[in-house]
Amino acid sequence: MAVIIKTAEEIEKMRELGRLAAEALDYIGQFVKPGVTTNELDKLIYDYHTEVQGGYPAPLNYGNPPYPKSCCTSVNHVICHGIPDDKPLKNGDILNIDVTIKKDGFHGDSSRMFAVGKISPHAQRLIDVTHQSMMAGIEAVKPGATLGDVGYACQQVAENAGYSVVQEFCGHGIGRGFHEEPQILHYGRKGQGLVLQPGMIFTVEPMINQGKRHLRILADGWTVVTKDRSLSAQWEHEVLVTETGYEILTISPQTGKP
């Protein structure tokens, strides 16, 4: 599959879908507190996508086995693809919520970390460094740069802080397809890999572990956890390669911050 360079019209639609994904994350944040279940959060996301935004949650029934929920909720040592359930969140948990809305044949995909109540300083540091890792990768995006430059930037921030980068899961192109080419690794070597061109849109979404990078996938076929049960964090933005650099399509409308 070739990388799809988006037209001006497609870029405008992707700006709209990116804003919708960010708005959904702005909306759900107020409900993240001790005692709420991730199933309750999932229902709120479904209702918001369908009733308020006029779209549909792309994860629902996606893949094989079909993903059973409308968003991914990854708690503590869950790296990604955590399936919402009826277990209440507790004070001190950290939570990644990953949403993808589909509307008018296009996709908007973003994820953020949320603190449940008061979290430990070491959990907060992991969240902060993971965000810095994502932003370093994004800041490496410009025409003529390579995917290796992006991965290298993410990796340097994480490993310099004493953390490890998950290598089995990556970012991806996005547009009319939920997952398009290219794959965006969050580790790599400068100057290697695909050369970036204006009109590419993809996600940068490093998964960073407090302990070792190794993982296992649970019997449900989706939930990915750290093998050593150390905490894991992830942030995700959608990025457009512009003529001069990059544009983040999923900045929070509420705060104006990436």
Side-chain angles (χ1 to χ4, degrees):
M1 280 172 57
V3 174
I4 298 165
I5 303 297
K6 307 300 191 278
T7 65
E9 293 78 11
E10 288 171 330
I11 288 168
E12 272 310 304
K13 286 302 295 184
M14 291 300 290
R15 284 194 179 105
E16 178 193 343
L17 269 291
R19 179 178 53 76
L20 291 175
E23 282 176 350
L25 290 170
D26 282 348
Y27 166 75
I28 202 64
Q30 65 191 305
F31 301 104
V32 177
K33 54 188 69 171
V36 74
T37 70
T38 48
N39 257 342
E40 289 169 322
L41 298 176
D42 183 74
K43 175 74 163 66
L44 288 165
I45 287 288
Y46 178 86
D47 291 347
Y48 192 75
H49 281 339
T50 57
E51 295 173 16
V52 178
Q53 298 183 308
Y56 189 79
L60 188 59
N61 295 318
Y62 177 84
N64 186 25
Y67 187 78
K69 300 289 178 174
S70 299
C71 65
C72 297
T73 53
S74 301
V75 183
N76 294 337
H77 69 292
V78 179
I79 295 170
C80 62
H81 303 159
I83 299 174
D85 61 22
D86 288 325
K87 185 179 177 186
L89 295 171
K90 59 186 189 301
N91 188 58
D93 284 343
I94 62 171
L95 168 68
N96 175 276
I97 300 179
D98 190 341
V99 302
T100 307
I101 181 170
K102 184 173 186 181
K103 183 179 181 181
D104 302 332
F106 290 86
H107 294 79
D109 185 5
S110 186
S111 85
R112 288 183 205 163
M113 293 301 297
F114 296 90
V116 183
K118 184 169 172 53
I119 66 172
S120 67
H122 72 270
Q124 187 62 55
R125 180 174 182 264
L126 176 67
I127 288 173
D128 293 344
V129 170
T130 303
H131 187 268
Q132 291 161 18
S133 170
M134 172 188 67
M135 291 307 299
I138 291 171
E139 286 159 11
V141 172
K142 62 183 179 185
T146 68
L147 287 181
D149 297 342
V150 176
Y152 176 85
C154 293
Q155 183 177 15
Q156 287 300 108
V157 170
E159 292 183 354
N160 286 343
Y163 300 141
S164 61
V165 179
V166 172
Q167 297 190 3
E168 291 84 350
F169 293 88
C170 58
H172 52 89
I174 187 166
R176 295 180 189 274
F178 187 169
H179 296 98
E180 299 178 350
E181 291 296 328
Q183 294 191 337
I184 312 298
L185 303 179
H186 303 107
Y187 62 97
R189 293 185 182 173
K190 282 184 173 181
Q192 293 198 341
L194 185 74
V195 176
L196 303 183
Q197 300 175 54
M200 290 180 177
I201 298 177
F202 50 78
T203 66
V204 178
E205 49 176 308
M207 288 142 267
I208 307 299
N209 296 347
Q210 211 161 34
K212 294 189 165 61
R213 71 170 183 84
H214 306 291
L215 57 80
R216 57 193 189 90
I217 300 174
L218 300 190
D220 59 35
W222 281 102
T223 308
V224 182
V225 300
T226 56
K227 203 166 184 181
D228 59 11
R229 294 190 66 84
S230 63
L231 291 178
S232 187
Q234 181 187 19
W235 294 82
E236 175 184 14
H237 273 312
E238 242 176 59
V239 183
L240 164 69
V241 185
T242 66
E243 296 293 336
T244 56
Y246 66 86
E247 177 186 340
I248 300 174
L249 303 182
T250 42
I251 284 178
S252 161
Q254 202 170 67
T255 66
K257 294 177 182 174

